[in-house]
Amino acid sequence: MRSASFIWNVCKSSFTFGLIGLTVSDRFASVVPVRGLSMAPTFNPPNNSSSFGLFTDDHVLVEKRCLTDYKFSHGDVVVFCSPRNYKERQIKRITGMPGDWISVPFSYDAVKIPEGHCWVEGDNPTDSLDSRSFGPIPLGLIRGRVTHILWPPQRVQKIDKKLPRSGLSF
Amino acid sequence: MSLFQQWAFIVKEALDKSFLVAKFFCSVHVANTYLCSTALVQGPSMLPTFSLTNELVLLERISTRNGKAGTGDVVILQSPENPRKFVTKRIIGMEGDKITYIVDPKNSDSTETVIVPKGHVWVQGDNIYNSYDSWNFGPVPYGLLQGKVFWRIWPTSAFGSIGRRPETVDPALKVLEQANQS
C-alpha cells in the first residue's frame, strides 16, 4: 500500500515536471546539441571533432521569445525546420533578409529574396547544406535563435552577430 | 512567533496556489500545441466549405506532427510570405505528385503542370477564383503546416466533421480533378 502511493506520487510529479519543462522549452528557451561541421568555426571547431558524441558536441541555448514577432536580423544564428524534411532541424546563420539581393555561388545569378523569406548559410561553406542548395526559406520555418554555447565548459560564450566573410548581400 | 507562523502559512499558501495556476497554464499550452486547438476561419478563399463569416473550428496537431496529413485534408498553415499570418487551405498534392492547375482561372482555362518537390505540399483554397495559395507562392514546406482542421463548432447549424472536398460542379475543375487523379 505504501509503495503504491509512492509510485503514484512519483508518476504525478514527473508528469507535472514534464508539462512544465515542455512549456518552458516551447515558450522560452531550450538546449539542443549541435551535430556536424556545417557551422565549424562557430560550433564544433575542427580540433576536437575527432570523436563525435553526446559529450563532445557543442550544446547551445536556443531562445524562443523571438518567435512571437519574427524579427530577425542579418547574422543571427537560427534553428529551423529543414524545407526538405520537416523532421530535421538545422542550425545556420541568416545572411539575407527580404528584399536583399544574393549572388548565388558557382553561377553568375543574383536572386532577390521574396517577402517573408530569408537566406541561411553555414559558417563552413565547404561542408554545409543550406540555402545555396535549397534556396530561400520561409521565416515561418524558424524554430528559435541560438544565443549562447553552454557546453563544453571551456567554450561557454555568447554568440555574436557576425556577418559572413564574403559579404554577398548588398 | 505566532505572527511569523501566520506569515509563513500565508506565503506557503500563496506559493501553492500560484504553482497550481502555473500548472494549469502549462497543461493548456501543451494540449494546445501537441493535441488540438481551436481556430477562427474567415474569408472567401475556402468558400464552399467555410462561409465568409467567422467560423470556429477544431484543429488537431497530431497528424501534421507525424506526417500523416495527406491529400484532401484541410490544414492551417503559416503563410510563407508573412510568418505572423495563418491561412486555411486544402492539401492538393504531396511530395512527388504531379499537379495540374489553371494559371488564370478568371480569364482563361489554360493549365500548367508542376511536380511538387521533396518535403513540400501543394495547397489550394476551395474557391480557386478568389484564393491566394500555392498558385501564387508555389509549394510550401511541410514544416509550415500547423494542424489539420477536422471539426466545425460554430455556427452550430453546421456543427460536424469536415471531410474531403465535395463533388465539384464547375466543368473546368472537373477536368482538373481527373487530371490530378490519373
Side-chain angles (χ1 to χ4, degrees):
Chain A
M1 195 58 207
R2 275 287 292 277
S3 73
S5 84
F6 174 73
I7 290 171
W8 171 243
N9 276 334
V10 167
C11 283
K12 215 164 65 172
S13 52
S14 55
F15 182 70
T16 312
F17 182 76
L19 276 186
I20 294 175
L22 216 54
T23 309
V24 168
S25 76
D26 275 356
R27 282 284 170 100
F28 303 104
S30 66
V31 178
V32 295
V34 183
R35 301 251 152 70
L37 290 173
S38 73
M39 292 288 284
T42 318
F43 307 129
N44 292 344
N47 54 2
N48 67 359
S49 68
S50 53
S51 61
F52 285 112
L54 200 58
F55 298 105
T56 51
D57 278 347
D58 280 2
H59 284 60
V60 293
L61 184 74
V62 179
E63 64 115 352
K64 306 284 173 78
R65 299 303 295 165
C66 56
L67 295 181
T68 51
D69 52 0
Y70 287 96
K71 282 208 171 62
F72 295 97
S73 57
H74 296 89
D76 279 346
V77 179
V78 291
V79 180
F80 62 94
C81 199
S82 164
R84 294 257 177 92
N85 179 3
Y86 72 100
K87 281 181 181 153
E88 203 181 296
R89 296 281 187 275
Q90 293 183 325
I91 298 185
K92 296 281 182 284
R93 197 182 284 278
I94 296 184
T95 57
M97 293 299 286
D100 289 355
W101 287 87
I102 292 279
S103 64
V104 183
F106 313 122
S107 72
Y108 299 99
D109 255 3
V111 287
K112 189 167 194 275
I113 300 177
E115 195 53 44
H117 287 62
C118 65
W119 190 268
V120 289
E121 280 183 24
D123 283 1
N124 181 5
T126 55
D127 184 13
S128 168
L129 184 72
D130 50 26
S131 280
R132 279 166 295 199
S133 56
F134 49 67
I137 61 161
L139 286 173
L141 286 180
I142 293 179
R143 296 289 184 262
R145 177 166 57 199
V146 178
T147 54
H148 294 82
I149 299 179
L150 296 181
W151 183 266
Q154 72 272 18
R155 301 193 57 243
V156 172
Q157 56 177 295
K158 198 173 184 307
I159 305 288
D160 46 352
K161 287 181 187 177
K162 185 186 74 169
L163 283 175
R165 304 159 302 288
S166 48
L168 293 172
S169 50
F170 50 87
Chain B
M1 195 57 200
S2 79
L3 193 70
F4 174 74
Q5 272 174 355
Q6 220 170 356
W7 270 107
F9 179 73
I10 290 173
V11 167
K12 189 173 175 300
E13 195 78 342
L15 278 180
D16 278 357
K17 284 286 183 299
S18 53
F19 186 64
L20 203 70
V21 171
K23 249 190 335 194
F24 171 73
F25 278 113
C26 286
S27 344
V28 168
H29 168 83
V30 170
N32 254 340
T33 41
Y34 293 93
L35 294 176
C36 87
S37 103
T38 56
L40 214 55
V41 180
Q42 58 177 342
S45 77
M46 290 291 284
L47 205 49
T49 318
F50 299 118
S51 67
L52 281 170
T53 49
N54 288 349
E55 291 198 9
L56 194 64
V57 292
L58 276 180
L59 65 151
E60 53 115 347
R61 312 248 185 195
I62 302 164
S63 52
T64 44
R65 195 166 281 273
N66 297 331
K68 295 275 165 32
T71 309
D73 289 337
V74 179
V75 288
I76 290 197
L77 64 146
Q78 245 171 330
S79 162
E81 304 198 330
N82 179 1
R84 285 171 288 271
K85 206 175 113 188
F86 293 89
V87 293
T88 313
K89 295 281 178 263
R90 196 183 286 276
I91 298 182
I92 303 294
M94 306 296 290
E95 59 178 30
D97 286 359
K98 216 194 225 174
I99 300 297
T100 308
Y101 64 97
I102 305 179
V103 179
D104 190 3
K106 277 177 196 159
N107 300 324
S108 69
D109 51 356
S110 65
T111 59
E112 215 168 277
T113 303
V114 292
I115 290 180
V116 183
K118 186 173 180 344
H120 287 62
V121 292
W122 188 270
V123 292
Q124 270 182 7
D126 281 355
N127 178 11
I128 61 162
Y129 299 100
N130 194 352
S131 168
Y132 194 77
D133 47 30
S134 280
W135 182 88
N136 306 84
F137 46 67
V140 292
Y142 198 92
L144 289 180
L145 301 190
Q146 301 292 316
K148 179 177 135 189
V149 176
F150 73 104
W151 203 267
R152 188 191 336 245
I153 304 176
W154 189 265
T156 41
S157 57
F159 184 87
S161 67
I162 292 159
R164 301 274 156 138
R165 179 202 284 274
E167 190 81 10
T168 46
V169 280
D170 196 331
L173 290 182
K174 234 171 199 168
V175 171
L176 273 194
E177 251 170 32
Q178 278 159 10
N180 281 337
Q181 274 161 12
S182 60

